[in-house]
Amino acid sequence: MIYFDNAASTKPYDEVTDYLYDYMKNSYANPSSLHKFGFECAKTLKYAEQEVLKLAGLNDRTVIFTSGATESANLCIKGTAEKYDDIRKVHIITSAIEHPCVAQTVEYLKRKGATTTIVGVDSCGIIDTDEIISSINSDTKLISIMLVNNETGVIQDIPGLFKRIKSEYPNVMLHVDAVQGFAKLNLDLKDADFITISAHKFHGPKGVGALICKKNTTLIPQMLGGGQQNNNRSGTINTPLIGAMGKACEIADVSKYQTYVTEMRDNIIKRIHRELSEYATINTKPESAQFSSHIISVSFPGLKGEVLLHMLEQKNIFISTSSACSSHKKHTGVLSSMGISKEMIDGTIRISLSEFNTVDETNIFVDELKQAVNTLISMRR
Ligand code: PLP
């Protein structure tokens, strides 16, 4: 099997599954219990927090553990907006290429009366930062911008943008959805008030993530109950998954990852350019902007991405059309906001890599892709 759908989810490290098994078997006490067994389990939170923060390159933050990025983004965005008595006085800025967990939450608040600005992108998918700055007004409470786009791999200059905003507008809260960049890029997110991550995107388990927060920030909790995690997120704390996320952070090696995955990505791009240029347009353009090494978006105008996906599936090769979470919908709007036509979008596939892949796999993949494309082209004639 060749698994090239790592932006949707990754294979957990063996150390992570071993940790999880052992933890669930032996460390099952409630970390909020007052006895020493509970107290021992509570130490897991400190361990995971330290590992998350080390990988984030930040040591002066707190971590709220959640069920994943969707919950983290909801907590951050709704939890910020709800701090204000009059929702009509809440203005939120975000971009046209955000993941639905941000886009839908902002849309929800708009329906509740907040005002919103959705900033566009250029043909590479780079967000117009001047438009963000010029959209800020006295009601602006939160700006939420993603680090790496999950469909194209484009990286936004979050350090530059957030520094600029904080120097001019220190009271505006800044959230970055860092899901596709965490454990993959050297991060400089010190100006972010909130950072969203999800463990299954970096070889941890599904169903666990975090919202990394500056120490002085406050949020209205979205989960009410027993007051766990300093009242920020009630519910019995999921120590096995949280510890396993810490383990995945401990194992991650960003510079090794980048060198290895970039070589595979560049091989795929080079071969598609060389051998399929007649039929393919590559939307991931490392020569014109910064792109994360694990995602490649390619369009085959006139063909159907979904058909290519299923033809490759027959060969035990797994890719995706755009993003997995929206694959049952038509498309998310990320590519159309870049000015890509519907015909191109319908013919788009996403190849996403991880450190478990090999250069050999990339060669087998391109061979099979060529065969599938040629079959479809010959059927059209
Ligand atoms: N943000 C980005 C950029 C993503 O790629 C994803 C998942 O694909 C999410 C948020 C949501 O993550 P989760 O489904 O783990 O909540």
Side-chain angles (χ1 to χ4, degrees), residues 7-9 66-73 97-102 146-151 177-181 196-201 205-209 295 323-326 350:
S9 204
T66 63
S67 62
T70 300
E71 186 190 331
S72 297
I97 59 164
E98 298 299 311
H99 185 274
C101 71
V102 168
M146 74 190 334
L147 178 62
V148 175
N149 184 264
N150 47 301
E151 293 187 37
D177 170 355
V179 166
Q180 296 290 348
T196 280
I197 63 167
S198 196
H200 70 107
K201 307 289 186 177
K206 290 172 189 56
V208 62
I295 296 176
S323 57
C325 62
S326 54
R350 178 185 70 180

Side-chain angles (χ1 to χ4, degrees), residues 223-350:
M223 294 281 206
L224 305 177
Q228 289 89 345
Q229 300 201 58
N230 297 321
N231 261 327
N232 285 315
R233 202 271 190 183
S234 286
T236 300
I237 302 174
N238 194 343
T239 37
L241 292 180
I242 291 168
M245 174 165 69
K247 184 52 88 184
C249 292
E250 189 187 330
I251 297 167
D253 181 337
V254 172
S255 43
K256 217 165 105 189
Y257 172 92
Q258 280 185 341
T259 316
Y260 185 65
V261 177
T262 305
E263 186 192 346
M264 291 188 286
R265 178 198 64 186
D266 290 350
N267 185 46
I268 293 177
I269 291 181
K270 184 185 77 195
R271 286 200 55 195
I272 293 178
H273 264 311
R274 209 172 51 203
E275 300 164 49
L276 276 166
S277 63
E278 205 183 327
Y279 309 115
T281 305
I282 300 177
N283 306 311
T284 301
K285 301 185 181 84
E287 68 288 353
S288 15
Q290 278 210 303
F291 281 86
S292 175
S293 41
H294 69 300
I295 296 176
I296 307 167
S297 166
V298 193
S299 301
F300 295 90
L303 305 186
K304 295 276 178 255
E306 200 174 326
V307 175
L308 281 170
L309 179 153
H310 289 303
M311 287 174 83
L312 289 165
E313 176 188 53
Q314 298 300 313
K315 308 283 179 182
N316 248 359
I317 297 173
F318 301 110
I319 58 161
S320 106
T321 46
S322 51
S323 57
C325 62
S326 54
S327 56
H328 298 294
K329 300 191 201 133
K330 264 297 160 223
H331 52 80
T332 58
V334 170
L335 299 176
S336 58
S337 69
M338 292 162 61
I340 297 178
S341 69
K342 184 178 178 309
E343 188 197 18
M344 292 263 281
I345 294 170
D346 286 345
T348 299
I349 57 169
R350 178 185 70 180

